[in-house]
Amino acid sequence: MVAPNQDTREEVIQAWYMDDSDEDQRLPHHKDPKEFVSLDQLAELGVLSWRLDADNYETDEELKKIREERGYSYMDIIEVCPEKLPNYEQKIKNFFEEHLHTDEEIRYCVAGSGYFDVRDQNDCWIRVWVKKGGMIVLPAGIYHRFTLDTDNYIKAMRLFVGDPIWTPFNRPHDHLPARKEYLKAFVHNEASDHAVDAAA
C-alpha cells in the first residue's frame, strides 16, 4: 500500500551511499548506519527515473510517450544471468569496471533486479537498486558501473537515440567532451550554487 504522498518510483528504485567493503559486489553494501539517497538527489546528478508497467512493456503508452519525447528510436532486450549471457563472468567483470559513455545509458528493468552505482559530486559511490518496473537514465559523462544483486538475474530493455554505441571508457577519461559537459552541468554548477548559498 502506497502512502498518499509517497513517490511510487521508490518501490522499484532505491538508492544509498555505499560502504568501502571489498565483500561480494552483489551484496547491498549499506553504510552503518544506512544512508539513503532520494530520487531528487539522483536527479541533481542527472540520473532520471520512472516507474512503468513492466508486465505490459510491449504495449505501454507511457513508455511509448517517453521514447517519442526523448528520441529513443532503438530498443533491445538483454538478459544478464549465468545461463543466458555468453561469456558471463568476463561480461560481469567488464560491467563493474568504473566507466563512462559519451551518450546516455537507458535501462528499463522488466524482470529481476540489479545495481547501478554512480559517483556523486564528491566522488562517493551511490548504489542505485533498480527492480522490475524501474527505468533509469544515466547522463552521458557520469562515471558508473553495474552489477547483479544476489538474485543473479535481470532482464532489461536498452534504449538509445539512433544507432546504439555501447563503448565504455574506463576511468580516467576526464578529457572527453562528454565528461567535461557533465561536470559543467551537474558538478561545477552544484559547487557554485553552494558557494552562493554560503555567501548569502
Side-chain angles (χ1 to χ4, degrees), residues 24-29 88 115 127 147-150 152:
D24 186 343
Q25 68 194 44
R26 298 169 308 147
L27 294 172
H29 286 277
Y88 168 81
Y115 294 127
R127 174 147 279 189
T147 187
L148 291 172
D149 57 26
T150 50
N152 281 323

Side-chain angles (χ1 to χ4, degrees), residues 84-100:
K84 296 280 181 78
L85 188 67
N87 201 10
Y88 168 81
E89 291 295 341
Q90 187 57 47
K91 288 266 177 67
I92 279 291
K93 192 178 167 198
N94 292 349
F95 293 159
F96 201 61
E97 284 282 331
E98 184 175 359
H99 63 277
L100 60 78

Side-chain angles (χ1 to χ4, degrees), residues 98-109:
E98 184 175 359
H99 63 277
L100 60 78
H101 301 288
T102 54
D103 297 278
E104 289 181 339
E105 178 169 316
I106 306 104
R107 296 292 181 271
Y108 173 19
C109 178

